Amino acid sequence: MKVLVIGSGGREHAIVQKLKQSKQGLDIFVAPGNGGIASQATCVPIKDDDIEGLLKFAKENAIDYTIVGPEIALTEGVVNAFEAEGLQIFGPTKEAALIEGSKDFAKAFMKKHNIPTADYQTFTEVEAAKAYLEEKGAPIVVKADGLAAGKGVVVATTLEQAIEAVESMLVDNCFGDAGSRVVIEEFLAGKEFSLMAFVHGEKVYPMLPARDHKRAYDHDQGPNTGGMGAFSPVPDLDQAKVDFAVEHILKPTAKGMMEEGRSFTGILYGGLIETPAGPKVIEFNARLGDPETQVVLPLLENELMQVIVDVKNGDDPQLTWKKGYAIGTVVASKGYPGNYLKEVQLPDLPIESDCFIIHAGTKLSTSGSFHSTGGRVLLVGAVEKNPEDAREKVYQYVKAFDQTDDFFYRKDIGSTK
Ligand code: AMP
Ligand code: GLY
């Protein structure tokens, strides 16, 4: 079976590593991939949002199944385009991916279907938005409606910050069209967790919960990043809360999307927060989370390709999970998430280890060494029976990066915040 994975980050490398465990012997292509992926699969230089290029490649190379990593391809209709040509692809259509592509759509949808989330209002006019901010006061959250590469959310602790965010989106157009509408929502306090599920129409098959660490430095200090590490499952989250989130959030969302004529097949990601009134939705994504995937997939006992085929066909994939903990810390380039060093050769890494290494921003040189290309370079992860052992393994391994100050990593991943 020939499989094409679309994307180039850690999430896609984790998908590839999981697919490689298949007994079927899959022939895996990745567009465009990265250095780590190139050592395990065939990378093809097609950008992840070049829908025509991807379609042409899939047809010319008789790809049997395509798996989509990033949101941009989904919201631009890669699934619609492949399905129109009779090709098998896993992910939601453009219409269903709107749950991630428009925060205004997602909020209105949740309100209509009684899915717990923060109160909000949407604005296109700056004066009306400012008047609302003044009425509500800080803390308050300002979000660009559309996709803004993870930078479109401002959690404002002062009214001035909130006004500045609204002005930069609505007046200065800092996110272009994506910020021509803003959602202003109530600030929720609580512990966050991510709950992803395989979904086919109304059918929802939840994965284990995970938590990512978004701030750059230890103890959740410093700027927001794409994610500096993650762990799964979440020891401080009891099963009742997970069950509540499946019954009152994920299932009604899948059902509601069907009722809206936007039937969802693919991965539904709930970014959730525990509040005194129960879990509420912070955001929905229409794809696997990054870096959550890197720690959730290693705990999945099933063969990923079979799960995808089953879910797509409307069959129960009968998910089973390892009884253990996965933890992963991201090694980032000095300076990230601001301007960061690039093209730095990675140090020699331990060969004898049962950690898993997932590349995000690397390339493979002709001499066989890896060089950094991105802010987040790679993730070092481990699965153990208890979280402390997993942490110890990971932190023993990442010491290899202490030889230079070209890289940094958080030292507190997996400590329950
Ligand atoms: P992003 O990944 O850029 O969408 O980051 C969103 C982050 O902003 C979330 O993980 C939360 O930590 C925070 N956030 C978003 N909405 C709210 C909210 N209503 N209340 C509190 N924090 C929020
Ligand atoms: N980890 C958050 C995301 O994938 O959007």
Side-chain angles (χ1 to χ4, degrees):
M1 190 172 180
K2 284 170 126 180
V3 182
L4 171 65
V5 178
I6 300 175
S8 62
R11 167 183 48 211
E12 289 74 22
H13 193 190
I15 294 172
V16 168
Q17 286 199 359
K18 189 71 196 163
L19 290 172
K20 293 282 284 184
Q21 292 169 4
S22 167
K23 289 187 204 77
Q24 282 184 50
L26 305 172
D27 197 2
I28 306 170
F29 298 84
V30 186
N34 62 39
I37 295 174
S39 57
Q40 292 186 304
T42 309
C43 290
V44 289
I46 307 171
K47 280 170 84 182
D48 61 15
D49 60 351
D50 175 6
I51 295 180
E52 265 179 43
L54 293 164
L55 191 56
K56 185 164 174 277
F57 177 82
K59 287 204 290 197
E60 286 178 1
N61 293 277
I63 297 295
D64 297 296
Y65 224 107
T66 299
I67 301 169
V68 191
E71 60 276 17
I72 188 89
L74 294 168
T75 56
E76 304 229 322
V78 70
V79 171
N80 307 56
F82 272 55
E83 287 184 341
E85 300 270 350
L87 298 180
Q88 289 284 6
I89 183 163
F90 188 66
T93 59
K94 181 180 179 167
E95 292 74 22
L98 197 65
I99 200 159
E100 173 165 5
S102 165
K103 293 202 170 13
D104 176 46
F105 168 80
K107 296 297 286 187
F109 170 86
M110 286 187 266
K111 199 168 175 184
K112 180 170 168 196
H113 295 275
N114 288 317
I115 294 157
T117 188
D119 285 338
Y120 83 106
Q121 215 158 302
T122 299
F123 296 90
T124 52
E125 301 297 332
V126 69
E127 289 311 320
K130 285 206 272 193
Y132 183 78
L133 288 175
E134 267 158 32
E135 179 199 327
K136 295 287 177 185
I140 197 155
V141 184
V142 178
K143 301 183 173 184
D145 173 54
L147 296 180
K151 299 190 178 77
V153 175
V154 176
V155 179
T157 49
T158 64
L159 188 59
E160 291 68 36
Q161 276 173 357
I163 290 175
E164 196 185 307
V166 157
E167 283 179 341
S168 68
M169 291 182 202
L170 288 180
V171 182
D172 306 334
N173 295 321
C174 68
F175 298 122
D177 254 8
S180 62
R181 268 191 297 183
V182 299
V183 167
I184 301 181
E185 73 177 32
E186 174 198 6
F187 172 81
L188 299 175
K191 286 182 177 170
E192 291 179 50
F193 64 102
S194 312
L195 188 60
M196 303 185 278
F198 293 94
V199 173
H200 180 113
E202 258 187 79
K203 297 175 186 164
V204 172
Y205 307 103
M207 302 186 210
L208 292 177
R211 179 172 290 150
D212 79 351
H213 296 63
K214 281 186 195 292
R215 301 293 198 100
Y217 314 130
D218 286 4
H219 313 300
D220 291 330
Q221 301 296 308
N224 250 320
T225 70
M228 292 298 293
F231 59 95
S232 175
V234 182
D236 61 274
L237 182 68
D238 60 56
Q239 190 57 37
K241 290 201 182 106
V242 178
D243 294 343
F244 181 96
V246 172
E247 292 307 317
H248 297 276
I249 295 175
L250 297 183
K251 286 187 179 172
T253 299
K255 187 162 184 276
M257 289 298 276
M258 285 193 77
E259 287 165 14
E260 303 279 331
R262 296 177 185 274
S263 180
F264 192 105
T265 296
I267 309 289
L268 180 63
Y269 166 116
L272 311 178
I273 188 162
E274 293 179 59
T275 76
K280 293 190 179 184
V281 178
I282 292 276
E283 63 167 351
F284 279 125
N285 292 325
R287 49 158 177 91
L288 285 163
D290 191 338
E292 290 91 332
T293 303
Q294 288 86 310
V295 291
V296 171
L297 287 186
L299 296 170
L300 178 67
E301 283 182 327
N302 308 63
E303 286 200 358
L304 180 61
M305 197 62 235
Q306 191 58 48
V307 170
I308 288 174
V309 170
D310 286 343
V311 172
K312 179 84 190 208
N313 291 343
D315 299 329
D316 183 345
Q318 310 267 355
L319 300 180
T320 60
W321 299 94
K322 283 193 187 121
K323 301 237 173 330
Y325 290 86
I327 286 178
T329 192
V330 167
V331 175
S333 305
K334 186 178 180 179
Y336 176 75
N339 282 333
Y340 53 81
L341 289 176
K342 278 188 201 150
E343 307 285 336
V344 178
Q345 183 168 345
L346 268 54
D348 291 334
L349 299 176
I351 299 166
E352 288 296 316
S353 161
D354 40 10
C355 285
F356 55 88
I357 313 302
I358 297 184
H359 290 236
T362 65
K363 66 177 184 190
L364 187 56
S365 73
T366 41
S367 65
S369 58
F370 291 111
H371 291 250
S372 64
T373 56
R376 288 187 298 167
V377 178
L378 53 74
L379 172 143
V380 177
V383 176
E384 283 296 322
K385 284 208 179 68
N386 61 63
E388 294 74 31
D389 291 348
R391 281 189 59 161
E392 198 177 314
K393 277 230 162 107
V394 166
Y395 283 110
Q396 191 59 35
Y397 189 103
V398 283
K399 279 188 187 154
F401 287 90
D402 294 346
Q403 306 160 28
T404 86
D405 68 354
D406 294 340
F407 304 98
F408 73 99
Y409 56 87
R410 273 182 64 161
K411 297 187 173 59
D412 63 342
I413 304 299
S415 62
T416 338
K417 22 179 194 171

